[in-house]
Amino acid sequence: IPVSGVSLSAQPPGGQVALGDRLVLSCAVAAGTGPRSFSWHRGGSRAPLGTGPRLELRQVGDNDSGHYQCRVSDGDSVAESVPLNVTVL
């Protein structure tokens, strides 16, 4: 079964985070079998920010705002989440 239904959630909710606070993004997969690899991207950049189902930014800075995406692969198929807009207040 190919990977599908990739969704993103943020803590704090809505991706609005105060400067210097912690932001945690979580990636969930609705369907798909087999081993999965995760990668995190911001603003369409190719270099991953992290690998794993969670991405934690311990101290958010001004340059951390933007659109974040989670990409999930099972080796055969790749699915991406809808971008989440992170705003640093």
Side-chain angles (χ1 to χ4, degrees), residues 3-9 25-30 38-42 53 67-73 78-85:
V3 173
S4 66
V6 178
S7 61
L8 249 186
S9 60
L25 300 177
S26 301
C27 189
V29 183
F38 295 82
S39 63
W40 292 90
H41 303 270
R42 184 179 75 220
H67 289 85
Y68 286 75
Q69 251 184 324
C70 169
R71 190 176 294 161
V72 184
S73 171
V78 176
E80 292 184 351
S81 69
V82 173
L84 175 83
N85 189 26

PDB file of all heavy atoms in Angstrom, residues 3-9 25-30 38-42 53 67-73 78-85:
ATOM      1  N   VAL A   3       2.197   5.101   0.452  1.00  0.00           N
ATOM      2  CA  VAL A   3       2.018   6.110   1.490  1.00  0.00           C
ATOM      3  C   VAL A   3       1.009   7.151   1.011  1.00  0.00           C
ATOM      4  O   VAL A   3       1.082   7.630  -0.115  1.00  0.00           O
ATOM      5  CB  VAL A   3       3.365   6.794   1.812  1.00  0.00           C
ATOM      6  CG1 VAL A   3       3.160   7.962   2.760  1.00  0.00           C
ATOM      7  CG2 VAL A   3       4.332   5.797   2.400  1.00  0.00           C
ATOM      8  N   SER A   4       0.056   7.494   1.887  1.00  0.00           N
ATOM      9  CA  SER A   4      -0.899   8.546   1.546  1.00  0.00           C
ATOM     10  C   SER A   4      -1.469   9.157   2.819  1.00  0.00           C
ATOM     11  O   SER A   4      -1.317   8.603   3.907  1.00  0.00           O
ATOM     12  CB  SER A   4      -2.043   7.998   0.688  1.00  0.00           C
ATOM     13  OG  SER A   4      -2.806   7.084   1.426  1.00  0.00           O
ATOM     14  N   GLY A   5      -2.121  10.301   2.654  1.00  0.00           N
ATOM     15  CA  GLY A   5      -2.761  10.959   3.788  1.00  0.00           C
ATOM     16  C   GLY A   5      -1.785  11.489   4.809  1.00  0.00           C
ATOM     17  O   GLY A   5      -1.974  11.305   6.009  1.00  0.00           O
ATOM     18  N   VAL A   6      -0.734  12.145   4.328  1.00  0.00           N
ATOM     19  CA  VAL A   6       0.256  12.721   5.244  1.00  0.00           C
ATOM     20  C   VAL A   6      -0.270  14.054   5.773  1.00  0.00           C
ATOM     21  O   VAL A   6      -0.684  14.911   4.995  1.00  0.00           O
ATOM     22  CB  VAL A   6       1.604  12.933   4.527  1.00  0.00           C
ATOM     23  CG1 VAL A   6       2.617  13.581   5.462  1.00  0.00           C
ATOM     24  CG2 VAL A   6       2.135  11.605   4.004  1.00  0.00           C
ATOM     25  N   SER A   7      -0.290  14.194   7.084  1.00  0.00           N
ATOM     26  CA  SER A   7      -0.792  15.431   7.680  1.00  0.00           C
ATOM     27  C   SER A   7       0.185  15.960   8.719  1.00  0.00           C
ATOM     28  O   SER A   7       0.953  15.210   9.312  1.00  0.00           O
ATOM     29  CB  SER A   7      -2.169  15.210   8.308  1.00  0.00           C
ATOM     30  OG  SER A   7      -2.080  14.241   9.339  1.00  0.00           O
ATOM     31  N   LEU A   8       0.128  17.256   8.921  1.00  0.00           N
ATOM     32  CA  LEU A   8       1.028  17.968   9.819  1.00  0.00           C
ATOM     33  C   LEU A   8       0.244  18.584  10.953  1.00  0.00           C
ATOM     34  O   LEU A   8      -0.831  19.131  10.741  1.00  0.00           O
ATOM     35  CB  LEU A   8       1.686  19.115   9.029  1.00  0.00           C
ATOM     36  CG  LEU A   8       3.166  19.011   8.715  1.00  0.00           C
ATOM     37  CD1 LEU A   8       3.634  20.291   8.065  1.00  0.00           C
ATOM     38  CD2 LEU A   8       3.947  18.769   9.966  1.00  0.00           C
ATOM     39  N   SER A   9       0.788  18.518  12.150  1.00  0.00           N
ATOM     40  CA  SER A   9       0.220  19.268  13.262  1.00  0.00           C
ATOM     41  C   SER A   9       1.333  19.994  13.996  1.00  0.00           C
ATOM     42  O   SER A   9       2.493  19.574  13.935  1.00  0.00           O
ATOM     43  CB  SER A   9      -0.536  18.342  14.216  1.00  0.00           C
ATOM     44  OG  SER A   9       0.337  17.361  14.738  1.00  0.00           O
ATOM     45  N   LEU A  25       6.690  20.164  15.496  1.00  0.00           N
ATOM     46  CA  LEU A  25       5.856  19.751  14.375  1.00  0.00           C
ATOM     47  C   LEU A  25       5.807  18.232  14.344  1.00  0.00           C
ATOM     48  O   LEU A  25       6.834  17.575  14.515  1.00  0.00           O
ATOM     49  CB  LEU A  25       6.426  20.284  13.061  1.00  0.00           C
ATOM     50  CG  LEU A  25       6.546  21.800  12.938  1.00  0.00           C
ATOM     51  CD1 LEU A  25       7.188  22.179  11.615  1.00  0.00           C
ATOM     52  CD2 LEU A  25       5.192  22.464  13.079  1.00  0.00           C
ATOM     53  N   SER A  26       4.611  17.683  14.143  1.00  0.00           N
ATOM     54  CA  SER A  26       4.427  16.237  14.089  1.00  0.00           C
ATOM     55  C   SER A  26       3.822  15.839  12.755  1.00  0.00           C
ATOM     56  O   SER A  26       2.956  16.530  12.225  1.00  0.00           O
ATOM     57  CB  SER A  26       3.500  15.772  15.213  1.00  0.00           C
ATOM     58  OG  SER A  26       4.030  16.125  16.465  1.00  0.00           O
ATOM     59  N   CYS A  27       4.298  14.737  12.230  1.00  0.00           N
ATOM     60  CA  CYS A  27       3.869  14.244  10.931  1.00  0.00           C
ATOM     61  C   CYS A  27       3.135  12.926  11.124  1.00  0.00           C
ATOM     62  O   CYS A  27       3.666  12.013  11.766  1.00  0.00           O
ATOM     63  CB  CYS A  27       5.096  14.047  10.051  1.00  0.00           C
ATOM     64  SG  CYS A  27       4.722  13.692   8.339  1.00  0.00           S
ATOM     65  N   ALA A  28       1.924  12.834  10.586  1.00  0.00           N
ATOM     66  CA  ALA A  28       1.138  11.604  10.693  1.00  0.00           C
ATOM     67  C   ALA A  28       0.838  11.061   9.301  1.00  0.00           C
ATOM     68  O   ALA A  28       0.676  11.828   8.342  1.00  0.00           O
ATOM     69  CB  ALA A  28      -0.167  11.878  11.431  1.00  0.00           C
ATOM     70  N   VAL A  29       0.781   9.739   9.206  1.00  0.00           N
ATOM     71  CA  VAL A  29       0.519   9.071   7.931  1.00  0.00           C
ATOM     72  C   VAL A  29      -0.747   8.231   8.077  1.00  0.00           C
ATOM     73  O   VAL A  29      -0.833   7.389   8.972  1.00  0.00           O
ATOM     74  CB  VAL A  29       1.704   8.179   7.511  1.00  0.00           C
ATOM     75  CG1 VAL A  29       1.444   7.545   6.154  1.00  0.00           C
ATOM     76  CG2 VAL A  29       2.992   8.967   7.489  1.00  0.00           C
ATOM     77  N   ALA A  30      -1.736   8.461   7.197  1.00  0.00           N
ATOM     78  CA  ALA A  30      -3.009   7.752   7.298  1.00  0.00           C
ATOM     79  C   ALA A  30      -2.896   6.324   6.758  1.00  0.00           C
ATOM     80  O   ALA A  30      -3.478   5.404   7.316  1.00  0.00           O
ATOM     81  CB  ALA A  30      -4.092   8.513   6.543  1.00  0.00           C
ATOM     82  N   PHE A  38      11.099   9.771   7.035  1.00  0.00           N
ATOM     83  CA  PHE A  38      10.522  11.113   7.090  1.00  0.00           C
ATOM     84  C   PHE A  38      11.595  12.137   6.795  1.00  0.00           C
ATOM     85  O   PHE A  38      12.749  11.963   7.186  1.00  0.00           O
ATOM     86  CB  PHE A  38       9.967  11.396   8.493  1.00  0.00           C
ATOM     87  CG  PHE A  38       8.815  10.522   8.900  1.00  0.00           C
ATOM     88  CD1 PHE A  38       9.037   9.251   9.400  1.00  0.00           C
ATOM     89  CD2 PHE A  38       7.510  10.981   8.797  1.00  0.00           C
ATOM     90  CE1 PHE A  38       7.983   8.444   9.796  1.00  0.00           C
ATOM     91  CE2 PHE A  38       6.444  10.179   9.189  1.00  0.00           C
ATOM     92  CZ  PHE A  38       6.688   8.910   9.685  1.00  0.00           C
ATOM     93  N   SER A  39      11.214  13.211   6.123  1.00  0.00           N
ATOM     94  CA  SER A  39      12.110  14.357   6.011  1.00  0.00           C
ATOM     95  C   SER A  39      11.284  15.631   6.080  1.00  0.00           C
ATOM     96  O   SER A  39      10.139  15.675   5.652  1.00  0.00           O
ATOM     97  CB  SER A  39      12.938  14.310   4.723  1.00  0.00           C
ATOM     98  OG  SER A  39      12.115  14.370   3.584  1.00  0.00           O
ATOM     99  N   TRP A  40      11.912  16.667   6.655  1.00  0.00           N
ATOM    100  CA  TRP A  40      11.248  17.953   6.882  1.00  0.00           C
ATOM    101  C   TRP A  40      11.904  19.012   6.008  1.00  0.00           C
ATOM    102  O   TRP A  40      13.122  19.068   5.908  1.00  0.00           O
ATOM    103  CB  TRP A  40      11.362  18.351   8.345  1.00  0.00           C
ATOM    104  CG  TRP A  40      10.571  17.456   9.247  1.00  0.00           C
ATOM    105  CD1 TRP A  40      11.006  16.312   9.851  1.00  0.00           C
ATOM    106  CD2 TRP A  40       9.222  17.627   9.640  1.00  0.00           C
ATOM    107  NE1 TRP A  40       9.995  15.768  10.602  1.00  0.00           N
ATOM    108  CE2 TRP A  40       8.893  16.549  10.489  1.00  0.00           C
ATOM    109  CE3 TRP A  40       8.243  18.594   9.360  1.00  0.00           C
ATOM    110  CZ2 TRP A  40       7.627  16.406  11.058  1.00  0.00           C
ATOM    111  CZ3 TRP A  40       6.985  18.452   9.939  1.00  0.00           C
ATOM    112  CH2 TRP A  40       6.691  17.368  10.777  1.00  0.00           C
ATOM    113  N   HIS A  41      11.052  19.849   5.408  1.00  0.00           N
ATOM    114  CA  HIS A  41      11.562  20.880   4.504  1.00  0.00           C
ATOM    115  C   HIS A  41      10.847  22.200   4.771  1.00  0.00           C
ATOM    116  O   HIS A  41       9.680  22.214   5.159  1.00  0.00           O
ATOM    117  CB  HIS A  41      11.348  20.454   3.049  1.00  0.00           C
ATOM    118  CG  HIS A  41      11.984  19.133   2.726  1.00  0.00           C
ATOM    119  ND1 HIS A  41      13.268  19.018   2.257  1.00  0.00           N
ATOM    120  CD2 HIS A  41      11.512  17.861   2.855  1.00  0.00           C
ATOM    121  CE1 HIS A  41      13.558  17.727   2.098  1.00  0.00           C
ATOM    122  NE2 HIS A  41      12.514  17.010   2.452  1.00  0.00           N
ATOM    123  N   ARG A  42      11.564  23.287   4.565  1.00  0.00           N
ATOM    124  CA  ARG A  42      10.971  24.615   4.722  1.00  0.00           C
ATOM    125  C   ARG A  42      11.129  25.392   3.429  1.00  0.00           C
ATOM    126  O   ARG A  42      12.223  25.439   2.862  1.00  0.00           O
ATOM    127  CB  ARG A  42      11.641  25.380   5.863  1.00  0.00           C
ATOM    128  CG  ARG A  42      10.970  26.735   6.115  1.00  0.00           C
ATOM    129  CD  ARG A  42      11.612  27.488   7.265  1.00  0.00           C
ATOM    130  NE  ARG A  42      12.887  28.044   6.851  1.00  0.00           N
ATOM    131  CZ  ARG A  42      13.974  28.065   7.618  1.00  0.00           C
ATOM    132  NH1 ARG A  42      13.952  27.568   8.824  1.00  0.00           N
ATOM    133  NH2 ARG A  42      15.096  28.579   7.171  1.00  0.00           N
ATOM    134  N   PRO A  53       9.538  11.419  12.584  1.00  0.00           N
ATOM    135  CA  PRO A  53       8.138  11.866  12.576  1.00  0.00           C
ATOM    136  C   PRO A  53       7.905  13.181  13.304  1.00  0.00           C
ATOM    137  O   PRO A  53       6.852  13.772  13.175  1.00  0.00           O
ATOM    138  CB  PRO A  53       7.388  10.719  13.261  1.00  0.00           C
ATOM    139  CG  PRO A  53       8.434   9.969  14.020  1.00  0.00           C
ATOM    140  CD  PRO A  53       9.735  10.179  13.318  1.00  0.00           C
ATOM    141  N   HIS A  67       6.934  28.263   5.423  1.00  0.00           N
ATOM    142  CA  HIS A  67       6.077  27.116   5.170  1.00  0.00           C
ATOM    143  C   HIS A  67       6.873  25.824   5.357  1.00  0.00           C
ATOM    144  O   HIS A  67       7.876  25.606   4.685  1.00  0.00           O
ATOM    145  CB  HIS A  67       5.508  27.178   3.750  1.00  0.00           C
ATOM    146  CG  HIS A  67       4.483  28.250   3.573  1.00  0.00           C
ATOM    147  ND1 HIS A  67       4.818  29.549   3.287  1.00  0.00           N
ATOM    148  CD2 HIS A  67       3.136  28.224   3.673  1.00  0.00           C
ATOM    149  CE1 HIS A  67       3.708  30.274   3.200  1.00  0.00           C
ATOM    150  NE2 HIS A  67       2.681  29.490   3.432  1.00  0.00           N
ATOM    151  N   TYR A  68       6.382  24.984   6.252  1.00  0.00           N
ATOM    152  CA  TYR A  68       7.043  23.710   6.556  1.00  0.00           C
ATOM    153  C   TYR A  68       6.245  22.560   5.957  1.00  0.00           C
ATOM    154  O   TYR A  68       5.008  22.588   5.959  1.00  0.00           O
ATOM    155  CB  TYR A  68       7.158  23.506   8.065  1.00  0.00           C
ATOM    156  CG  TYR A  68       8.212  24.369   8.711  1.00  0.00           C
ATOM    157  CD1 TYR A  68       7.987  25.727   8.917  1.00  0.00           C
ATOM    158  CD2 TYR A  68       9.426  23.837   9.116  1.00  0.00           C
ATOM    159  CE1 TYR A  68       8.946  26.529   9.511  1.00  0.00           C
ATOM    160  CE2 TYR A  68      10.394  24.626   9.717  1.00  0.00           C
ATOM    161  CZ  TYR A  68      10.142  25.969   9.908  1.00  0.00           C
ATOM    162  OH  TYR A  68      11.094  26.761  10.493  1.00  0.00           O
ATOM    163  N   GLN A  69       6.972  21.560   5.479  1.00  0.00           N
ATOM    164  CA  GLN A  69       6.347  20.383   4.903  1.00  0.00           C
ATOM    165  C   GLN A  69       7.028  19.126   5.402  1.00  0.00           C
ATOM    166  O   GLN A  69       8.239  19.113   5.625  1.00  0.00           O
ATOM    167  CB  GLN A  69       6.461  20.413   3.379  1.00  0.00           C
ATOM    168  CG  GLN A  69       5.156  20.663   2.672  1.00  0.00           C
ATOM    169  CD  GLN A  69       5.324  20.572   1.166  1.00  0.00           C
ATOM    170  OE1 GLN A  69       6.343  20.966   0.618  1.00  0.00           O
ATOM    171  NE2 GLN A  69       4.321  20.061   0.503  1.00  0.00           N
ATOM    172  N   CYS A  70       6.232  18.088   5.573  1.00  0.00           N
ATOM    173  CA  CYS A  70       6.749  16.771   5.916  1.00  0.00           C
ATOM    174  C   CYS A  70       6.632  15.885   4.681  1.00  0.00           C
ATOM    175  O   CYS A  70       5.592  15.877   4.018  1.00  0.00           O
ATOM    176  CB  CYS A  70       5.934  16.197   7.070  1.00  0.00           C
ATOM    177  SG  CYS A  70       6.252  14.472   7.386  1.00  0.00           S
ATOM    178  N   ARG A  71       7.704  15.169   4.370  1.00  0.00           N
ATOM    179  CA  ARG A  71       7.721  14.261   3.223  1.00  0.00           C
ATOM    180  C   ARG A  71       7.973  12.852   3.740  1.00  0.00           C
ATOM    181  O   ARG A  71       8.907  12.628   4.511  1.00  0.00           O
ATOM    182  CB  ARG A  71       8.834  14.693   2.263  1.00  0.00           C
ATOM    183  CG  ARG A  71       8.808  13.994   0.927  1.00  0.00           C
ATOM    184  CD  ARG A  71       9.886  14.580   0.019  1.00  0.00           C
ATOM    185  NE  ARG A  71       9.610  15.970  -0.324  1.00  0.00           N
ATOM    186  CZ  ARG A  71      10.532  16.817  -0.777  1.00  0.00           C
ATOM    187  NH1 ARG A  71      11.788  16.432  -0.920  1.00  0.00           N
ATOM    188  NH2 ARG A  71      10.206  18.061  -1.067  1.00  0.00           N
ATOM    189  N   VAL A  72       7.128  11.929   3.326  1.00  0.00           N
ATOM    190  CA  VAL A  72       7.228  10.543   3.799  1.00  0.00           C
ATOM    191  C   VAL A  72       7.453   9.623   2.609  1.00  0.00           C
ATOM    192  O   VAL A  72       6.780   9.734   1.588  1.00  0.00           O
ATOM    193  CB  VAL A  72       5.951  10.110   4.550  1.00  0.00           C
ATOM    194  CG1 VAL A  72       6.115   8.707   5.124  1.00  0.00           C
ATOM    195  CG2 VAL A  72       5.620  11.098   5.659  1.00  0.00           C
ATOM    196  N   SER A  73       8.419   8.718   2.761  1.00  0.00           N
ATOM    197  CA  SER A  73       8.706   7.752   1.707  1.00  0.00           C
ATOM    198  C   SER A  73       8.763   6.356   2.298  1.00  0.00           C
ATOM    199  O   SER A  73       9.219   6.159   3.428  1.00  0.00           O
ATOM    200  CB  SER A  73      10.042   8.083   1.035  1.00  0.00           C
ATOM    201  OG  SER A  73      10.426   7.043   0.160  1.00  0.00           O
ATOM    202  N   VAL A  78       6.280   8.290  -2.506  1.00  0.00           N
ATOM    203  CA  VAL A  78       6.542   9.463  -1.674  1.00  0.00           C
ATOM    204  C   VAL A  78       5.250  10.273  -1.571  1.00  0.00           C
ATOM    205  O   VAL A  78       4.539  10.437  -2.560  1.00  0.00           O
ATOM    206  CB  VAL A  78       7.661  10.342  -2.279  1.00  0.00           C
ATOM    207  CG1 VAL A  78       7.866  11.605  -1.453  1.00  0.00           C
ATOM    208  CG2 VAL A  78       8.953   9.562  -2.377  1.00  0.00           C
ATOM    209  N   ALA A  79       4.941  10.746  -0.378  1.00  0.00           N
ATOM    210  CA  ALA A  79       3.788  11.619  -0.183  1.00  0.00           C
ATOM    211  C   ALA A  79       4.214  12.806   0.666  1.00  0.00           C
ATOM    212  O   ALA A  79       5.089  12.682   1.524  1.00  0.00           O
ATOM    213  CB  ALA A  79       2.639  10.863   0.487  1.00  0.00           C
ATOM    214  N   GLU A  80       3.599  13.956   0.410  1.00  0.00           N
ATOM    215  CA  GLU A  80       3.933  15.170   1.144  1.00  0.00           C
ATOM    216  C   GLU A  80       2.688  15.717   1.830  1.00  0.00           C
ATOM    217  O   GLU A  80       1.572  15.549   1.350  1.00  0.00           O
ATOM    218  CB  GLU A  80       4.483  16.239   0.196  1.00  0.00           C
ATOM    219  CG  GLU A  80       5.831  15.890  -0.389  1.00  0.00           C
ATOM    220  CD  GLU A  80       6.383  17.023  -1.250  1.00  0.00           C
ATOM    221  OE1 GLU A  80       5.636  17.990  -1.512  1.00  0.00           O
ATOM    222  OE2 GLU A  80       7.546  16.936  -1.649  1.00  0.00           O
ATOM    223  N   SER A  81       2.924  16.378   2.953  1.00  0.00           N
ATOM    224  CA  SER A  81       1.821  17.047   3.640  1.00  0.00           C
ATOM    225  C   SER A  81       1.523  18.374   2.957  1.00  0.00           C
ATOM    226  O   SER A  81       2.334  18.900   2.198  1.00  0.00           O
ATOM    227  CB  SER A  81       2.197  17.308   5.098  1.00  0.00           C
ATOM    228  OG  SER A  81       3.207  18.295   5.162  1.00  0.00           O
ATOM    229  N   VAL A  82       0.353  18.907   3.247  1.00  0.00           N
ATOM    230  CA  VAL A  82       0.055  20.282   2.883  1.00  0.00           C
ATOM    231  C   VAL A  82       0.991  21.186   3.686  1.00  0.00           C
ATOM    232  O   VAL A  82       1.236  20.919   4.864  1.00  0.00           O
ATOM    233  CB  VAL A  82      -1.422  20.609   3.202  1.00  0.00           C
ATOM    234  CG1 VAL A  82      -1.729  22.078   2.995  1.00  0.00           C
ATOM    235  CG2 VAL A  82      -2.330  19.734   2.360  1.00  0.00           C
ATOM    236  N   PRO A  83       1.562  22.227   3.080  1.00  0.00           N
ATOM    237  CA  PRO A  83       2.477  23.094   3.850  1.00  0.00           C
ATOM    238  C   PRO A  83       1.777  23.760   5.031  1.00  0.00           C
ATOM    239  O   PRO A  83       0.618  24.140   4.934  1.00  0.00           O
ATOM    240  CB  PRO A  83       2.922  24.143   2.818  1.00  0.00           C
ATOM    241  CG  PRO A  83       2.652  23.534   1.498  1.00  0.00           C
ATOM    242  CD  PRO A  83       1.469  22.631   1.674  1.00  0.00           C
ATOM    243  N   LEU A  84       2.505  23.847   6.125  1.00  0.00           N
ATOM    244  CA  LEU A  84       2.009  24.549   7.313  1.00  0.00           C
ATOM    245  C   LEU A  84       2.788  25.849   7.469  1.00  0.00           C
ATOM    246  O   LEU A  84       4.017  25.840   7.463  1.00  0.00           O
ATOM    247  CB  LEU A  84       2.197  23.682   8.562  1.00  0.00           C
ATOM    248  CG  LEU A  84       1.820  24.367   9.873  1.00  0.00           C
ATOM    249  CD1 LEU A  84       0.311  24.274  10.095  1.00  0.00           C
ATOM    250  CD2 LEU A  84       2.548  23.754  11.043  1.00  0.00           C
ATOM    251  N   ASN A  85       2.055  26.943   7.579  1.00  0.00           N
ATOM    252  CA  ASN A  85       2.706  28.238   7.702  1.00  0.00           C
ATOM    253  C   ASN A  85       3.045  28.509   9.170  1.00  0.00           C
ATOM    254  O   ASN A  85       2.148  28.578  10.011  1.00  0.00           O
ATOM    255  CB  ASN A  85       1.806  29.338   7.153  1.00  0.00           C
ATOM    256  CG  ASN A  85       2.530  30.663   7.059  1.00  0.00           C
ATOM    257  OD1 ASN A  85       3.756  30.700   6.936  1.00  0.00           O
ATOM    258  ND2 ASN A  85       1.798  31.751   7.114  1.00  0.00           N
TER     259      ASN A  85
END
